[in-house]
Amino acid sequence: MKKFAALKTAISLPLAVLAAAFMIFINETSFQQSTKAVSNMEKAQQTRSAITGLVSQVLNAETGQRGYLLTGDTRYLEPYRVAVVDITENLNVLQQIFVSQPPLIGDFDTLSRHVSRKMAEMDLSVRMRKQGNDDGWKFVLTTDVGKEEMEAIRNQSDKLSASSIQQIEQGQAQVRKALQLSRIGIATTALVGLLAFYMYLMQNKALLVSGQREQETLERERDLLEKQVRERTASLAELATHLQNVREDERGHLARELHDELGALLTAAKLDVARLKSRLAGNLPEASERLEHLTSTLNTGIALKRRIVEDLRPSSLSHLGLVASLEILAREFEERSGLSITTDLEIVELGGAAQLTVYRLVQESLTNIAKYADATRVEISVHNFDNFIMVDVKDNGKGFKLESIGPGSHGLAGMRHRVEAAGGKLTVASAANRGTQVGAILPKSH
């Protein structure tokens, strides 16, 4: 018995030491991974902010340039010069950032080239305006060079921003992995500690009090770690909500920019074409015909701009309310897609954020139906109850198996998170060849 007790003593002590070392290793590994992931997420967010700032500065420079060209007022050159300086500084900052990211340096070089070309185009028109070469700067202004470069800048900035978002998502996944590793390590350590405690208890009853204290300490640590896990999970949920709000704010900002800047440019171009048409009427039939075609093209561009702005941030929500906005969305989508859409919408009282949640839910559902459902008919309904509202979007498409929804289904995941962030619940019902129904229940106050 003494030999057996000595053997248990020889085993239990190294076992306890091994458990402690294992817990320290797991905690340190999780801490290092989480710290690295948070650092990468912060860097990615800074990169995304710098890219957004660069696009905004280019737009500011273009605004000052266009203001000077159209009015001749040199006061517009001051914001233009300031924006040019800011663009140069921002490009230098981004150059330092992307030097350490070889896979993205090519995309950044492409963005830098487009920015340089855009700045060269604006500088050329400004110099010709200063020199009194009206025909030259007007010709430059009417070409699509600046528009094409601006579109290329937006595309490249969107691509780089998407890479930053991907890095943020990878960081979030790494944090979740580190938390999972911590929980596994803690559970394993707790089991090993209990085993060592049991062996000590069998060896000497006098260690009972010490063992009880050790168990209480382990429970406190477990509760503390579980609390930390809950807090970090809540923090990640808040981060996801924040990113979603940032996306909506960016979409609203882009919608305002398109409405104010691009709308003004298209309208000004249309007025110039109308003025030229009136002067050439009856003199040059071929030129009049081309101007008529250009007017039609500008009208199409204005309509496209209006549709894009409405998709980014529906102004009808604030001016007409939720029901009217959903009616407009349904009618416009019906015209574009050829689907037959019926609506059953009751007047509801919701805050601005909740209205936007309902609007995005219906918009995303219609987009998914057009992409995947092969449907011919869609029903949209909003019903009002005492303390909550119910939203349903139902189609007669081919449906799908719910168990086939994987982690890559970001559309449904995004809808679910948006609804849950508003205090509601999202449900999806579908079966093969029996259509799909996306429903949500949202409280009136949250």
Side-chain angles (χ1 to χ4, degrees):
M1 292 295 295
K2 290 183 179 179
K3 291 184 178 179
F4 183 67
L7 180 60
K8 289 192 292 183
T9 303
I11 294 176
S12 58
L13 184 58
L15 193 61
V17 173
L18 180 62
F22 180 70
M23 183 172 67
I24 293 173
F25 172 76
I26 291 295
N27 286 339
E28 183 64 22
T29 302
S30 300
F31 174 76
Q32 294 296 335
Q33 291 179 351
S34 299
T35 302
K36 182 178 179 181
V38 171
S39 176
N40 291 337
M41 291 166 64
E42 291 177 351
K43 185 176 180 181
Q45 187 63 37
Q46 293 173 357
T47 303
R48 187 182 179 192
S49 299
I51 292 171
T52 303
L54 177 64
V55 175
S56 177
Q57 290 158 3
V58 174
L59 289 174
N60 290 338
E62 187 178 48
T63 300
Q65 175 240 8
R66 293 300 175 93
Y68 173 69
L69 293 179
L70 294 176
T71 64
D73 191 345
T74 57
R75 290 178 298 177
Y76 285 99
L77 291 179
E78 183 60 27
Y80 168 76
R81 294 191 186 100
V82 171
V84 170
V85 174
D86 292 340
I87 289 169
T88 302
E89 294 177 353
N90 208 345
L91 283 174
N92 292 333
V93 171
L94 287 171
Q95 176 71 28
Q96 296 299 321
I97 292 175
F98 285 109
V99 162
S100 60
Q101 303 181 46
L104 299 178
I105 190 66
D107 291 333
F108 170 73
D109 290 340
T110 301
L111 174 61
S112 180
R113 286 197 301 271
H114 286 300
V115 171
S116 299
R117 293 171 184 172
K118 179 63 179 177
M119 300 308 297
E121 177 262 334
M122 290 191 290
D123 180 66
L124 175 62
S125 60
V126 169
R127 283 191 288 106
M128 287 192 294
R129 184 71 167 90
K130 288 181 179 180
Q131 296 169 0
N133 188 355
D134 292 341
D135 293 336
W137 69 261
K138 288 179 180 179
F139 174 77
V140 173
L141 190 63
T142 55
T143 62
D144 290 337
V145 174
K147 178 182 178 182
E148 292 173 355
E149 293 299 333
M150 196 65 219
E151 186 66 24
I153 292 172
R154 289 194 179 96
N155 291 337
Q156 285 299 121
S157 62
D158 290 344
K159 186 176 181 181
L160 291 173
S161 295
S163 298
S164 299
I165 294 174
Q166 185 179 6
Q167 292 177 2
I168 292 174
E169 293 174 349
Q170 291 175 351
Q172 293 173 347
Q174 189 172 359
V175 170
R176 288 193 293 269
K177 182 179 179 181
L179 293 175
Q180 185 68 21
L181 181 63
S182 295
R183 296 184 68 179
I184 294 174
I186 292 166
T188 304
T189 303
L191 291 175
V192 174
L194 289 174
L195 177 61
F197 169 72
Y198 174 76
M199 296 177 69
Y200 270 110
L201 183 63
M202 293 296 292
Q203 177 193 6
N204 192 349
K205 293 182 179 180
L207 297 177
L208 178 61
V209 174
S210 176
Q212 290 175 345
R213 291 177 180 176
E214 183 181 355
Q215 185 178 9
E216 292 173 357
T217 301
L218 289 174
E219 289 177 352
R220 285 196 300 269
E221 291 180 353
R222 183 186 61 193
D223 293 340
L224 177 60
L225 289 173
E226 288 181 351
K227 180 181 178 182
Q228 291 177 350
V229 169
R230 290 194 297 269
E231 290 176 351
R232 291 180 181 179
T233 301
S235 177
L236 289 174
E238 291 177 1
L239 176 61
T241 302
H242 172 70
L243 292 176
Q244 191 175 74
N245 292 335
V246 167
R247 180 188 178 193
E248 287 295 341
D249 291 342
E250 290 180 349
R251 294 178 73 167
H253 174 73
L254 181 58
R256 289 191 298 271
E257 290 292 334
L258 287 174
H259 180 272
D260 296 340
E261 302 298 335
L262 183 58
L265 292 175
L266 291 174
T267 302
K270 184 178 178 181
L271 292 174
D272 289 341
V273 171
R275 192 177 297 111
L276 290 173
K277 183 179 178 182
S278 63
R279 292 180 180 179
L280 298 176
N283 297 327
L284 297 172
E286 183 179 355
S288 298
E289 181 180 350
R290 298 306 300 170
L291 289 175
E292 183 68 30
H293 177 70
L294 181 56
T295 300
S296 176
T297 303
L298 288 173
N299 288 333
T300 303
I302 292 173
L304 177 60
K305 182 269 299 180
R306 186 180 298 112
R307 180 168 63 82
I308 294 175
V309 169
E310 286 300 313
D311 287 341
L312 288 172
R313 188 73 174 187
S315 60
S316 57
L317 273 179
S318 57
H319 298 303
L320 303 176
L322 177 62
V323 172
S325 298
L326 292 179
E327 288 283 2
I328 294 172
L329 175 65
R331 297 288 78 79
E332 291 181 349
F333 195 86
E334 185 178 44
E335 292 175 359
R336 295 198 305 268
S337 64
L339 295 172
S340 173
I341 301 179
T342 59
T343 57
D344 180 12
L345 308 176
E346 297 180 3
I347 301 297
V348 295
E349 296 181 0
L350 291 173
Q355 288 188 11
L356 184 58
T357 297
V358 175
Y359 186 90
R360 292 300 188 201
L361 172 66
V362 175
Q363 187 181 44
E364 182 68 21
S365 298
L366 290 175
T367 301
N368 289 339
I369 291 170
K371 286 183 178 180
Y372 311 113
D374 291 336
T376 59
R377 187 175 67 256
V378 180
E379 299 176 7
I380 303 173
S381 63
V382 176
H383 296 294
N384 187 25
F385 297 93
D386 292 338
N387 299 317
F388 63 91
I389 69 165
M390 183 178 294
V391 183
D392 278 308
V393 181
K394 184 177 181 181
D395 67 75
N396 66 339
K398 62 183 181 181
F400 59 92
K401 295 181 180 179
L402 295 179
E403 56 270 19
S404 65
I405 301 177
S409 301
H410 300 300
L412 287 176
M415 285 192 289
R416 189 179 304 279
H417 175 77
R418 186 187 291 272
V419 171
E420 291 178 353
K425 181 179 180 181
L426 181 75
T427 59
V428 180
S430 183
N433 300 319
R434 297 182 62 182
T436 302
Q437 181 175 359
V438 177
I441 297 177
L442 291 167
K444 291 185 176 179
S445 60
H446 176 60

